[in-house]
Each structure stands twice: as C-alpha cells, then as structure tokens.
Amino acid sequence: MSHIPPSAAASLAEHYVHCEAHVRAGDRDFWLAMLFAPAAKRPHLYAVRAFLLEIAQVRERVTEPLAGELRLQWWRDAIEGEARGDIASHPVAAALLDTIQTCRLPREVLTDLIEAHRFDLYDDPMSTLHDWENYCEQTAAGPIQVLAIILTGKQEPGGIGAASHAGVALSVIGQLADLSRHRTPVYLPADLLARHKLKPADIEAGHATKQIEQMLADMRGIARLHLDALRNQASTIEPAALPAYLLTSLVEPTLRLSERKGRDPFTEPLLLPRWKRQWIMWRASRRNAL
C-alpha cells in the first residue's frame, strides 16, 4: 500500500477490520474456516464474505422490492466503478473494491451474483430444480471461485466443477436450515413440491408430514450427489484453495442431523454444536481432504 496516503491506508485497514467483525458476527463458521488460510489473505477473504452478507441481507432490510432493487444496483455500480457518492465511506464497499484491485478479481462473477439475488426481492416461486441449481451456482459456487483466486493468486485456479458442486451442496444445507427459521417455500422448486403433492401453503403451515419428510429426503439426496461429485473432483482443486471449500466438510454431518429420527424440521434448529463444527473443519484441514 506504499502508493496510498498514510491517512487513507489507515482508513482502509479499519475497513478491513470492520469486514472481519461483520463476518465473525454474521457467519462464524466462515470466519473460523478462514483461520486455516494464510494470515495475509484473510482480510481480502473477509471483505468478499462481508459483501456477500450485505447482498444476501438486502431482502431483510427493505420493505418493498423497489428499495431492494436500488440497493442492489448501488452495489453493482460500485463494483463496475460507476457509483455516485463517497464509496470510500462504506467500509465493506471500500474493502471489496481494494480487494478486487489487489487480487485482480473478475468483477462479472460478483455482478452475476448481485443479479441472481434480485430473485430474493420477490415472492415468485423457483420453477424447477434446474433453475434452483443455477441460482445456487451463481450465489454460492461463484464466490468459492473468487475465494480460490485470492488464495492461490491465480486467475485460473481450477476446480470450476468442484466449486459448482460445493455451492449446491452448501445451498441445500442452507435451505434445510431455513425451514426452522423462516418456513419460506420460495426457494423450494415448484417441481420438487409437485413431485410430493405439496403446495407452498403446506410448508408455511410448518407441520411435518410424510410428504414433507419424503421431499426433505430428496433434498438430502441432491446434496449427497453433489458432495460425491465434489469429492470425485477434489484433485482439480489447488491445495492452496482448500480453505475456500472447508465448509463443505460440515455438509454430511449436518445431513445426518437432519435425518435424525423424530427431529421436527420446522422447530428444531439444524445446527451442529459449535465445538463439533470447529473440530470437523480442523480435521478436514489437517487431512487436506473435504
């Protein structure tokens, strides 16, 4: 940062500290996973994750879609260098833009993610499993590739297919966990619901029926298919990029918790104990295996 004035460098350092604190509060598992990455890389990794949290939380922070559209457009303009106003005063935006420049990140991956999250602003159902997997790839797999670029320092870090499978597997876990928090069917594909003769209202009711249990079993099967595919493609992942995939080590243990006999998917949080999550990721990092 020698070309940056001392006062600006100090502010930028504070912005990175803010991003880490934001991630530690909003996604502690990710914060822990990045502790297995080189210390010099962590500020940039946390900046990207803080940005992802900002985008994912837009729906929760607005009362109408138009306000969300404007907020997402502000982020798109910031990434593309077209935003008006003082971007430097927004800690996450400032740190992200510095990370994009320093690590030579592909801006289109980040803008594609923003576009995918426009879906969040509306109550339209996800039509098909194919649509849903595309959404997962844009919102979860793309960021994994960005993290891999930061970790490896390579513009083509490999593992594109692996990142895709990791993104879908992690997204399934997120959807299963959301059932106990929001009971929202918006991300459940309509064809998956129809396969089990379910309607969105059945999910909103929050009563575990045989049909719902069968649908959840299908979702777990999808996650395991992608997890197996990820493991089959593990050799395509650069060793330096493995921290970007560490969270996938939690997928199978979480699936087993989800299918525990007698568990109510609508009332019992789908969350392994913190100590166990830390231990699973530590073991995966030591083995250099997912």
Side-chain angles (χ1 to χ4, degrees), residues 232-252:
N232 289 335
Q233 296 187 25
S235 62
T236 67
I237 302 171
E238 290 266 355
L242 281 174
Y245 293 83
L246 266 184
L247 288 178
T248 61
S249 65
L250 301 176
V251 171
E252 181 56 42

Side-chain angles (χ1 to χ4, degrees), residues 120-135:
D120 303 353
L121 304 177
Y122 303 92
D123 293 327
D124 299 329
M126 191 74 73
S127 298
T128 66
L129 275 170
H130 178 72
D131 293 338
W132 180 77
E133 289 186 339
N134 284 340
Y135 174 88

Side-chain angles (χ1 to χ4, degrees), residues 208-248:
T209 65
K210 182 177 180 180
Q211 289 86 352
I212 287 176
E213 290 295 342
Q214 291 172 339
M215 181 196 69
L216 296 181
D218 273 3
M219 293 179 68
R220 288 191 290 267
I222 292 169
R224 286 189 166 110
L225 283 174
H226 284 280
L227 191 59
D228 288 343
L230 166 63
R231 289 167 175 162
N232 289 335
Q233 296 187 25
S235 62
T236 67
I237 302 171
E238 290 266 355
L242 281 174
Y245 293 83
L246 266 184
L247 288 178
T248 61

Side-chain angles (χ1 to χ4, degrees), residues 24 56 68 72 84 89 103 105-106 121 123 156-157 160 180 193 196 199 203 214 222 225 231 248 253 263 269 281 283:
R24 186 171 185 174
L72 292 179
R84 298 178 180 179
S89 66
C103 302
L105 301 183
L121 304 177
D123 293 327
E156 299 291 340
I160 293 177
S180 63
L193 291 172
H196 297 284
K199 298 179 180 179
I203 308 300
Q214 291 172 339
I222 292 169
L225 283 174
R231 289 167 175 162
T248 61
R263 178 183 175 275
M281 286 191 288
R283 183 181 60 177

Side-chain angles (χ1 to χ4, degrees), residues 5-46:
S7 60
S11 296
L12 189 55
E14 291 173 359
H15 293 333
Y16 276 112
V17 170
H18 170 90
C19 287
E20 179 176 355
H22 186 23
V23 172
R24 186 171 185 174
D27 189 350
R28 187 174 176 84
D29 285 344
F30 181 91
W31 178 80
L32 286 169
M34 294 308 104
L35 294 181
F36 297 101
K41 305 281 189 178
R42 290 177 204 156
H44 300 304
L45 299 167
Y46 290 135

Side-chain angles (χ1 to χ4, degrees), residues 21-286:
H22 186 23
V23 172
R24 186 171 185 174
D27 189 350
R28 187 174 176 84
D29 285 344
F30 181 91
W31 178 80
L32 286 169
M34 294 308 104
L35 294 181
F36 297 101
K41 305 281 189 178
R42 290 177 204 156
H44 300 304
L45 299 167
Y46 290 135
V48 170
R49 184 57 185 152
F51 158 71
L52 298 176
L53 288 173
E54 289 284 325
I55 298 301
Q57 293 168 359
V58 166
R59 168 68 186 258
E60 301 172 13
R61 296 177 177 177
V62 300
T63 56
E64 56 183 20
L66 179 58
E69 292 276 7
L70 292 173
R71 188 61 180 165
L72 292 179
Q73 188 60 46
W74 183 89
W75 276 105
R76 184 183 182 107
D77 290 345
I79 290 171
E80 294 179 338
E82 299 177 0
R84 298 178 180 179
D86 187 9
I87 299 297
S89 66
H90 192 296
V92 177
L96 177 68
L97 292 179
D98 182 70
T99 292
I100 290 172
Q101 181 177 359
T102 302
C103 302
R104 297 182 299 142
L105 301 183
R107 297 172 190 259
E108 61 272 15
V109 175
L110 302 177
T111 55
D112 285 350
L113 178 139
I114 291 172
E115 290 306 309
H117 274 292
R118 291 188 189 277
F119 175 83
D120 303 353
L121 304 177
Y122 303 92
D123 293 327
D124 299 329
M126 191 74 73
S127 298
T128 66
L129 275 170
H130 178 72
D131 293 338
W132 180 77
E133 289 186 339
N134 284 340
Y135 174 88
C136 294
E137 289 181 5
Q138 290 178 302
T139 59
I144 290 174
Q145 277 293 98
V146 170
L147 298 178
I149 291 172
I150 295 172
L151 287 163
T152 64
K154 298 179 179 180
Q155 295 302 295
E156 299 291 340
I160 293 177
S164 176
H165 293 301
V168 177
L170 288 168
S171 295
V172 172
I173 293 299
Q175 182 67 76
L176 291 173
D178 279 347
L179 286 178
S180 63
R181 291 195 292 259
H182 307 301
R183 294 180 182 173
T184 174
V186 69
Y187 295 119
L188 295 178
D191 59 352
L192 178 63
L193 291 172
R195 182 188 303 172
H196 297 284
K197 297 181 173 57
L198 292 168
K199 298 179 180 179
D202 297 318
I203 308 300
E204 293 168 358
H207 301 302
T209 65
K210 182 177 180 180
Q211 289 86 352
I212 287 176
E213 290 295 342
Q214 291 172 339
M215 181 196 69
L216 296 181
D218 273 3
M219 293 179 68
R220 288 191 290 267
I222 292 169
R224 286 189 166 110
L225 283 174
H226 284 280
L227 191 59
D228 288 343
L230 166 63
R231 289 167 175 162
N232 289 335
Q233 296 187 25
S235 62
T236 67
I237 302 171
E238 290 266 355
L242 281 174
Y245 293 83
L246 266 184
L247 288 178
T248 61
S249 65
L250 301 176
V251 171
E252 181 56 42
T254 305
L255 291 174
R256 290 198 296 268
L257 175 61
S258 171
E259 61 193 359
R260 189 185 66 195
K261 187 176 181 180
R263 178 183 175 275
D264 188 328
F266 293 106
T267 61
E268 297 182 41
L270 185 61
L271 190 63
L272 298 164
R274 179 181 293 178
W275 68 266
K276 191 169 187 177
R277 302 198 306 274
Q278 292 179 231
W279 178 76
I280 290 170
M281 286 191 288
W282 173 83
R283 183 181 60 177
S285 70
R286 296 282 291 181

